[in-house]
Amino acid sequence: MPVALPTPGRLSAALLLALAALPAAGQEDPRHDEIQDLNEVVVRATPLPRTAEDLTRPVEVLAGTRLDEAKATTLGETVSRLPGVQSSYFGPGVGRPIIRGLDGARVQVLSDGLASGDVSTVSVDHAVSIEPFLADQIEVLKGPSTLLYGSGAIGGAVNVVDGRIPERATDAPLQGRAELRAGSGNDERTGMLRLDGTSASGNLVFHLDALHRETGDYDIPGYAESAALRESEHGEDDHDDDHDHDHDEEEAHGSLPNSFVRTDSAALGVSWIGERGFVGVGASLFNTRYGVPGHSHEHEDDHGHDDDHDDGDDHEDDHESHADEGVHIVMDQRRYEVRGGLDALGAFDTLRVKLAHTEYTHTEYEGEAIGTVFDNDSTELRLELVHRDWAGWDGAFGLQAWTRDFLAIGDEAFVPASESRDAGLFWIGTRTFGTVDLELGARHDRNRVEVDEAEAIGPSRDFDATSLSAAARWHFGDDLHLSFGLDRAQRSPTAEELYSNGLHVATRSYEFGNPDLRNETANRAELGLHWHHGPLKVGASIYAVDYRDFVYLADTGVEDGGTPARVWNQADTRFTGGEVDLQWTFLDNGSGRWTLRGFGDMVRGRLDGEGTREVSFAVPHGDHFHNYTVDLAQDGNLPRLAPWRAGTELRWEGGQWRAGIGAIRYARQDRVAEYEDETPGYTLVNANLAWHLDTASGRALELFVDGTNLLDEEARPHTSFLRDLAPLPGRSIAAGVRMFF
């Protein structure tokens, strides 16, 4: 097992001692920039240095105080208040970004331009191995991003910029930040420290960060199980007083069992900075342990699994009171990186080279017993060569290559071992024609998936994927911009979609892949508008995406021993949607700056085929199988699609203070797929308050209070497989201190 990092108390003491011993950093305000207009932030996810305002593609950026206010335990929750972006949910330890209704293998999660190296796309209970509390900025590319990041970004990409390998000297010899926080709804205790420094010569630059977080089982407004599930389980006739009393004692209420989280993260990076470039190396670890609510595995005795997991002590003292209550996961990742860059290379502006090797292990425990172990070793190489004006075009060539060796061991390893290889070449270029900025791009990928047990499950597969893109932005003066984009993007099926075959405990279902899946092809058209006039900003977009051979996990209507069966299917699909974001600074005087924001987004996804498709699968039962053949409809709604929502926020900044309060209404999702239930809507109200002090020594201190779900409303996201077993956390207040130096 990985070596445990310091407890919160020890880490807190170490942070305070380190801060007290630091020399003054100078007279400049050391706080990270309080960016008032996030459109002016340079986006690192693209090789061409552009601000969010200048990009022809839709992008959202979180940085500065807005990022501080949004940071949460998971990356998905951190970005979930941005237009067009929501989060998956599988307990508080797991939240992956959902962009315009797409998630999983269609949304690439990046650590400063390189894939995170985890297996969060394999299963909905697998966490993303990136810690949002350590981010400098987070960038969300909406719409197909295959041009830059390949097949896994056909729905978009989320790039977390953390600066773990420095690319330039720091402004002061030593600078950094630290944070301590505590939360009421889950007994959260979090401590974070970051240090960056430069040698006296200015050539050697280092980075160091560490984080420790512990939370207990979180509070919920009512019962863990939804009213619909309790009604179906206990029936309408069981309403006598004795039954109600006994049932209330047995059922989780007020607190969600097995919803604890413990996370440790640390990194060290060192770079040599020269006049024309840099070279740096870094190493990092990410270790997290979290419970999977609602999964006792007692229901699996019908399928040959042991249903008698004793409630003994857990294998580690730090969460022995939680792990014995059900399934919990221990995830450990070690990552090693080399990065380098050269500037002014004749006809080329810059060359950037990035190489990362990741060793990942994910162990699922059932009480004290090890259920399944997932191992994933990956290596990724990325080169970006930015060229100067060629026939009026500024652009960049790129090469991306990666390998993944995946292995699952255990009775519940529903995905076979596989080796995946991918190589892609791309070019992206921009040119200005009067008041029009034009962007063109092309990419081709070659992918191979080799699977063990190929004769029994299916053959190894080779895929070629080609993506083309064109986007334009018209400047109708300095305040008004109109953009239009067209994409043709392709995605190759993943090993999970091709070869899944067995019981998937996380989703409480059998999953069956299809080794004959083809590439899916997306054709997108999008129209966007940005208007900025004085105190008023308006951004809006509408889009339509036609998918050919869209791959999705379809419910079959078959329940074997009470466990549903799902198959990976293909069908033509159409997505349509829109987003709007309005900000109005209606008052800016001696009382402070007052800003009102409103936003909304919606997406509709429908199967666009005709008739039915016949599929067959076999559910294993010891040494024999139950064989099924079903017809899947090729039209209708897609499953687990995010509902429309609308939100509003009021912000105030004055002197040393800032505050905000906002509410987001998630609509009832009644456009559901076959065999899928509707999900009630809900409203989440959040608020924040902060006071900061800049000192003469160049340090800064900030005290903050954040409140989430202040109405203590029962909230069950339609995108979650656990929506009937685990609601979102109830009312919670977090408070703490941030230090900048």
Side-chain angles (χ1 to χ4, degrees), residues 71 84 94 158 184 191 237 311 358 374 463 559 567 582 600 680 734 739:
K71 284 178 181 177
V94 183
V158 179
S184 65
D237 297 331
D311 292 337
T358 304
F374 297 87
F463 299 93
E559 289 196 1
V567 298
L582 303 92
M739 294 154 279

Side-chain angles (χ1 to χ4, degrees), residues 171-192:
D171 296 331
L174 186 63
Q175 62 188 44
R177 67 178 188 263
E179 181 172 328
L180 297 171
R181 71 162 54 205
S184 65
N186 56 2
D187 294 327
E188 177 190 3
R189 300 293 184 269
T190 298
M192 182 274 287

Side-chain angles (χ1 to χ4, degrees), residues 68 91 114 143 233 268 338 342 353 377 434 519 551 613 691 714:
D68 283 339
L114 293 177
E233 286 183 343
L268 175 64
V338 178
L342 285 175
V353 181
D377 288 350
N519 278 350
V551 179
R613 177 184 179 187
W691 173 84
E714 182 176 312

Side-chain angles (χ1 to χ4, degrees), residues 593-713:
R593 176 194 294 257
W594 296 81
T595 302
L596 183 65
R597 176 188 177 228
F599 79 93
D601 54 48
M602 63 82 63
V603 60
R604 179 84 186 276
R606 286 188 56 85
L607 300 175
D608 199 26
E610 295 181 355
T612 61
R613 177 184 179 187
E614 183 178 277
V615 297
S616 299
F617 53 91
V619 176
H621 282 266
D623 58 355
H624 67 284
F625 295 86
H626 291 174
N627 296 303
Y628 296 93
T629 299
V630 298
D631 292 326
L632 296 179
Q634 297 296 91
D635 58 0
N637 296 307
L638 283 169
R640 292 171 294 281
L641 195 65
W644 69 263
R645 61 179 185 165
T648 185
E649 179 186 47
L650 176 64
R651 292 177 56 85
W652 167 75
E653 299 177 45
Q656 297 173 294
W657 294 86
R658 74 173 187 276
I661 185 169
I664 302 177
R665 175 63 185 177
Y666 293 77
R668 176 185 183 87
Q669 183 55 288
D670 53 8
R671 292 176 173 174
V672 296
E674 192 174 12
Y675 311 115
E676 185 181 34
D677 295 328
E678 298 181 0
T679 303
Y682 54 89
T683 301
L684 298 180
V685 176
N686 304 312
N688 63 81
L689 175 67
W691 173 84
H692 70 265
L693 175 67
D694 298 324
T695 68
S697 64
R699 300 170 184 160
L701 177 73
E702 182 169 278
L703 304 178
F704 65 90
V705 178
D706 296 331
T708 55
N709 194 4
L710 294 179
L711 299 183
D712 203 29
E713 183 159 355

Side-chain angles (χ1 to χ4, degrees), residues 108-132:
Q108 184 74 275
V109 175
L110 306 164
S111 176
D112 214 346
L114 293 177
S116 58
D118 53 47
V119 294
S120 59
T121 61
V122 173
S123 174
V124 292
D125 64 327
H126 294 187
V128 174
S129 59
I130 293 179
E131 176 50 59

Side-chain angles (χ1 to χ4, degrees), residues 84-116:
V85 187
Q86 298 193 34
S87 177
S88 68
Y89 189 75
F90 212 85
V94 183
R96 211 174 189 278
I98 300 173
I99 300 178
R100 295 178 170 179
L102 301 173
D103 63 350
R106 294 184 182 87
V107 173
Q108 184 74 275
V109 175
L110 306 164
S111 176
D112 214 346
L114 293 177
S116 58

Side-chain angles (χ1 to χ4, degrees), residues 106 144 146 151 154 464-468 487-493 518-524 545-551 570-575:
R106 294 184 182 87
T146 52
S151 183
I154 196 170
D464 288 283
T466 301
S467 298
L468 303 171
D487 295 276
R488 187 260 193 186
Q490 287 192 312
R491 184 182 76 90
S492 303
R518 302 174 296 277
N519 278 350
E520 64 180 29
T521 302
N523 297 298
R524 178 195 71 123
V545 188
D546 283 324
Y547 273 92
R548 188 173 68 249
D549 296 325
F550 184 81
V551 179
Q570 279 191 306
D572 292 344
T573 306
R574 182 177 178 83
F575 284 82

